[in-house]
Amino acid sequence: MSIPKLVIFDCDGILVDTENLANQRLAEWLSAAGFTTTLEYCRKHFSGRSMVSVQKEIEATGISLGADFVDRWNAGLPDLFAHGVEAIPYVREFIEKVRAAGIPYCVASSARVSKMHITLGQTGLLPLFEHAMFSSTMVGRGKPFPDLFLHAAKTMGCAPADCIVIEDSVAGTEAGIAAGMRVFSYHADPYSDPDGLAEAGGILFDDMRELAGLVPIH
């Protein structure tokens, strides 16, 4: 396996531990709107997805979330993530190894850049990524489509085959594979779906300390 020319990090669940906080709130909001659901269901079906795509899927069942659903969701994020957001264990050490090796890297998330500023800011990781932040709001289709990763690679001047993606969701893993990239899929969270990640084509790992041994960065 050759040394990558670009490392693309997902944000939620890879850099910052936000998935349970966000999906618990999502489950509460959807249930209140009439789509009775749970944290577990939201983690499995909506992790890695944009709120626009989640709203479309829910409203296809006949339940209205309101025209301002996405705006209300984003307006509530600063409060939701004001306390309790931590970096994923040992991810900073891997980022530092990538930097030390001189390999370009970026973050590409279904979340808006404004949300990444909040969560990465809370964990002290923001200065490491301010140079290259990509959001699904920048492309026509979010994950599981490859558009976001292809946009990141093109902007960073790298061919897809020379990129690797670090993901934790099935949708994100599918997006990376569809983009023609190697995908390393993290499944340390008890709500993660290792079978789904493997089926999507990801190379599985459950500890960020393993990643330096899996990814050739020297």
Side-chain angles (χ1 to χ4, degrees), residues 98-188:
V98 171
R99 295 180 74 202
I103 299 171
Y105 67 95
C106 64
V107 60
S109 172
S110 294
R112 294 184 178 192
V113 170
S114 58
K115 177 189 172 186
M116 287 189 272
H117 272 271
I118 295 167
T119 57
L120 293 173
Q122 284 286 337
T123 56
L125 294 175
L126 184 59
L128 297 175
F129 286 95
E130 282 182 300
H131 69 285
M133 304 175 74
F134 300 98
S135 163
S136 62
T137 59
M138 301 173 180
V139 295
R141 303 177 301 175
K143 304 170 188 179
F145 296 99
D147 304 29
L148 176 59
F149 292 140
L150 292 174
H151 171 65
K154 184 177 181 181
T155 304
M156 299 289 284
C158 189
D162 294 327
C163 301
I164 67 163
V165 172
I166 315 297
E167 262 288 352
D168 69 312
S169 70
V170 173
T173 299
E174 290 173 343
I177 295 296
M181 302 175 180
R182 288 173 286 167
V183 182
F184 294 83
S185 301
Y186 181 61
H187 65 98

Side-chain angles (χ1 to χ4, degrees), residues 17 21 27 38 42 46 59 68 84 87 92 94 107 111 125 130-131 140 164 166 178 186 188 191 194 205 216:
D17 187 4
L21 277 173
T38 62
C42 290
F46 300 134
E59 294 193 338
D68 64 343
R92 179 186 286 272
F94 178 73
V107 60
L125 294 175
E130 282 182 300
H131 69 285
I164 67 163
I166 315 297
Y186 181 61
Y191 293 117
F205 71 104

Side-chain angles (χ1 to χ4, degrees), residues 75-97:
L77 293 179
D79 174 63
L80 179 63
F81 296 132
H83 306 286
V85 176
E86 296 182 357
I88 294 294
Y90 307 107
V91 74
R92 179 186 286 272
E93 287 85 341
F94 178 73
I95 298 165
E96 294 292 359
K97 287 178 180 177

